[in-house]
Amino acid sequence: MFGGNSNWRGPVWMPVNALLIRGLLNLYGFYGDDFTVECPTGSGNRMTLFEVAKEISRRLAATFLRDGSGRRPVYGGAEKFQTDPHWKDLILFYEYFHGDNGAGLGASHQTGWTGTVARLLDLFGRLDAATVLRAGKAEISSRLVREQVGGQQGA
């Protein structure tokens, strides 16, 4: 009943997900490790809000990465982009994505907002849960900018 690209299961918009992740990290800074939620729903697996934010980020990144069969969900059934040696490693950022299979939809070359996935990869590559709890938002932001611009790790 809710299959395809219905409003129930999709589409997936990167900027909305980025805002959700930011909100989860803010709430994690307040609630800490004592507050957990079931993720994914119905799994029985409990996660902190930091872990949930990281999991959502991982799932978004998986849209662009090759799966076990070497295919990128972003390209859906477009064989040219999946297999052609001239195209298969050129990643396009779409306006939004199919809610069930991750295929890119709408306008392509949306590096403005869909490119936020690169920022999320960088964020979780540099940030851990302990830092979120120990440091304030301003300190974390300043550190991340310093590391990105100056190339200093943990300075």
Side-chain angles (χ1 to χ4, degrees), residues 63-133:
T63 302
F64 302 97
L65 302 174
R66 286 194 181 92
D67 62 16
S69 62
R71 300 178 70 80
R72 297 179 196 273
V74 66
Y75 291 137
E79 283 306 310
K80 182 168 204 70
F81 292 124
Q82 294 288 8
T83 59
D84 187 297
H86 301 292
W87 290 97
K88 68 180 185 173
D89 292 323
L90 300 175
I91 309 300
L92 295 175
F93 292 146
Y94 288 86
E95 183 177 10
Y96 55 96
F97 302 84
H98 192 286
D100 290 330
N101 63 22
L105 301 170
S108 61
H109 303 297
Q110 294 292 320
T111 54
W113 61 66
T114 301
T116 59
V117 73
R119 179 71 174 107
L120 294 173
L121 287 168
D122 180 67
L123 177 72
F124 286 105
R126 296 175 188 272
L127 189 64
D128 61 12
T131 302
V132 173
L133 294 177

Side-chain angles (χ1 to χ4, degrees), residues 20-98:
L20 176 66
I21 290 168
R22 182 177 179 172
L24 288 168
L25 291 174
N26 286 341
L27 288 169
Y28 175 71
F30 178 78
Y31 289 109
D33 291 328
D34 294 333
F35 182 77
T36 62
V37 295
E38 187 178 37
C39 180
T41 301
S43 69
N45 185 38
R46 307 290 296 183
M47 292 184 176
T48 66
L49 296 180
F50 180 88
E51 293 167 328
V52 173
K54 191 170 183 176
E55 174 64 10
I56 293 170
S57 181
R58 184 197 64 75
R59 288 179 181 207
L60 292 172
T63 302
F64 302 97
L65 302 174
R66 286 194 181 92
D67 62 16
S69 62
R71 300 178 70 80
R72 297 179 196 273
V74 66
Y75 291 137
E79 283 306 310
K80 182 168 204 70
F81 292 124
Q82 294 288 8
T83 59
D84 187 297
H86 301 292
W87 290 97
K88 68 180 185 173
D89 292 323
L90 300 175
I91 309 300
L92 295 175
F93 292 146
Y94 288 86
E95 183 177 10
Y96 55 96
F97 302 84
H98 192 286

Side-chain angles (χ1 to χ4, degrees), residues 125-146:
R126 296 175 188 272
L127 189 64
D128 61 12
T131 302
V132 173
L133 294 177
R134 185 182 71 248
K137 283 191 288 187
E139 181 183 333
I140 291 170
S141 179
S142 174
R143 185 192 112 195
L144 292 173
V145 169
R146 197 171 50 250

